[in-house]
Structure formats: structure tokens, C-alpha cells
């Protein structure tokens, strides 16, 4: 990787703290932005738009049913990847744009390999998501009290994780990625971009898994919930106050963990009666 491509305003003590995995607050103030995407990175937004169109069409047929929506593991994984492409590609586009600026040729194909590696990681995340959704469907079918307990657990786990240093460090990798880019630039060989995508995808899953788990409580094909969570992820990673916003999300999730005890309908993905129409069911 051309070292000249990595020079820029992110220097000094603040940038150094970002490179060693410091908090998102101490990272470089210049978080990646959607405003200056390279043409290849802009194609990720086109792909995300296509994925959103596919999600809306599926939601019209499937609604916001609790659980796995009657899908087997393979079909669930395919739908999951479509959902993650819609929700996550806009948030990864600024990082991908910065990464593509280190290329001297073949930007389109190399960025395609990077995006493939990124989505492979999210595909693997479909397995635990399927397990959690299966459990939710079982409880929603005849154990409403247990379903509410699961809703409390999901919201509480999300809220607690959003406030942990682990979340903060993973978020800092996305908000101030120049140090991380130096690591990726050390990759060599034909699979370097695929490996870079796998590496970035792993940090992204570590950063966002708790927010994605909340989809089980809201209903996996709940389009309004998907739009809200996708916007939250994008704000976390690109907004100047994204780190504070991330902690505010944690507090909101903890509040939901308390509120759902008194109003189980706040988790429509865990109650068939409330989830049939769904919050945002199409």
C-alpha cells in the first residue's frame, strides 16, 4: 500500500490514541463521511438501495412474523444477508471509500472483494441469529411470559453492551480508521482485499451485534425497525457525536428492558398477536 495515501489531517496525540484502540471520544474528530465517496464506494450505496428494495418486497409477503418466519436455516441465511446488505453497506461505504484510495488500479474489483469479505462475516452471523429467532418463535407460540423475559434479556443485553469499553473500542475502529488501515495495508497476495473485508467485518459485527439482536424483539422483517436501526448504525459511525449517540442508544435499550415488562407489545417480534401486523409490517 502506498504510504503517501495514508497521510492527512489525522495526526498527533488524538490520532495516536485512535490507532491503539482508544475510545471513540478520543479518536480523530474527522470520522468517515458519506459526502466524499470514491465512485467504486458509491456503488455500495447502489447495492444497498437494491437490497432495500428486495427487503420491502419480502416484507410485503412475510410481514413481521415472530421467530424465523417459517424459514429453514438456508433460506433464513439468504434473507439475513439481504437485510445486512441493506442495513450495513451504507455505514461501511465511507470506510470502503478511504480504503479504495490506497489502490493504484483495479479499484472496482478490489473493492468488490473487500465487500464480499465483509458480507461473508455477516453471513456467518446468521447462525446465532437463526438460533435466537428460533427460540423467539417457540416462546411466542405458547409461552408469553417467557417471551417477555426474552425481550427483557435482549433489550438489557443490548443496552449493557452499548455502554461497555469493548463497544467503544470497536466503534473507534470505524470512526477513526487510519491506524486500522495501516494494518490492512500490510496484507499481500490475491486475497488481500477479501481478508481486509473479513477483518473489518469482524470488528463491525463486534460493534453492532447487540443492535441487530434487537431485531428479533421487534420482528426480523419489521421494515420500520430496520430503517431506525440502520440509521442508528450510520449515525454511530459517521456523526460527529456518534460516540455519545451510541451510549444514548444503550440507555434507551435499558429503558425498553424495563418498559417491556409492563407493555409486552413493545416487542412485537415475540408476540404473535401483536407481531402479525407488526411495527412496520408491510
Amino acid at each position: 500500500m502506498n504510504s503517501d495515501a495514508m497521510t492527512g489531517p489525522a495526526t498527533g496525540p488524538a490520532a495516536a490514541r485512535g490507532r491503539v484502540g482508544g475510545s471513540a471520544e478520543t479518536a480523530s474528530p474527522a470520522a468517515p463521511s458519506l459526502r466524499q465517496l470514491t465512485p467504486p464506494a458509491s456503488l455500495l450505496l447502489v447495492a444497498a438501495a437494491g437490497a432495500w428494495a428486495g427487503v420491502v418486497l419480502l416484507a410485503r409477503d412475510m410481514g413481521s412474523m415472530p421467530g424465523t418466519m417459517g424459514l429453514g436455516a438456508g433460506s433464513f441465511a439468504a434473507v439475513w444477508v439481504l437485510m445486512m446488505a441493506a442495513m450495513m453497506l451504507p455505514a461501511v461505504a465511507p470506510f470502503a471509500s478511504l480504503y479504495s484510495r490506497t489502490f493504484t488500479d483495479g479499484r472496482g474489483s478490489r473493492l468488490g472483494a473487500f465487500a464480499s469479505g465483509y458480507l461473508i462475516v455477516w453471513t456467518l452471523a446468521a447462525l446465532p441469529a437463526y438460533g435466537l429467532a428460533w427460540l423467539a418463535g417457540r416462546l411466542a407460540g405458547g409461552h408469553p411470559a417467557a417471551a417477555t423475559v426474552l425481550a427483557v434479556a435482549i433489550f438489557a443485553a443490548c443496552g449493557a453492551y452499548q455502554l461497555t469499553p469493548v463497544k467503544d473500542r470497536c466503534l473507534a475502529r470505524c470512526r477513526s480508521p487510519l491506524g486500522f488501515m495501516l494494518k490492512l495495508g500490510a496484507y499481500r497476495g490475491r486475497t488481500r482485499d477479501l481478508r481486509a473485508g473479513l477483518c473489518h467485518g469482524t470488528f463491525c459485527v463486534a460493534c453492532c451485534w447487540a443492535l441487530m439482536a434487537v431485531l428479533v424483539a421487534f420482528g426480523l422483517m419489521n421494515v420500520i425497525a430496520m430503517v431506525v436501526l440502520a440509521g442508528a448504525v450510520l449515525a454511530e459511525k459517521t456523526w460527529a457525536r456518534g460516540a455519545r449517540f451510541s451510549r444514548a442508544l444503550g440507555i434507551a435499550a435499558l429503558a425498553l428492558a424495563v418498559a417491556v415488562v409492563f407493555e409486552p407489545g413493545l416487542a412485537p417480534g415475540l408476540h404473535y398477536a401483536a407481531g402479525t401486523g407488526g411495527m412496520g409490517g408491510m
Side-chain angles (χ1 to χ4, degrees), residues 7-114:
T7 60
T11 58
R17 285 193 294 270
R19 295 188 188 101
V20 297
S23 73
E25 290 287 7
T26 58
S28 169
S33 171
L34 288 172
R35 296 176 181 176
Q36 295 180 329
L37 296 183
T38 60
S42 297
L43 292 178
L44 295 181
L45 299 184
V46 176
W52 274 113
V55 165
V56 170
L57 290 175
L58 285 174
R60 288 174 183 264
D61 296 331
M62 301 170 67
S64 297
M65 295 174 57
T68 63
M69 302 167 292
L71 299 175
S75 298
F76 180 92
V79 172
W80 174 264
V81 172
L82 183 67
M83 292 165 56
M84 294 304 103
M87 297 175 68
M88 302 305 299
L89 286 182
V92 80
F95 181 95
S97 180
L98 182 61
Y99 181 65
S100 70
R101 293 179 191 277
T102 68
F103 305 161
T104 56
D105 54 14
R107 283 187 172 183
S109 59
R110 292 190 60 184
L111 201 57
F114 172 85

Side-chain angles (χ1 to χ4, degrees), residues 113-114 117 184 186-189 191-200:
F114 172 85
L184 299 183
Y187 291 160
R188 295 290 183 268
T191 62
R192 57 187 174 182
D193 301 307
L194 180 67
R195 291 165 58 200
L198 291 170
C199 184
H200 184 60

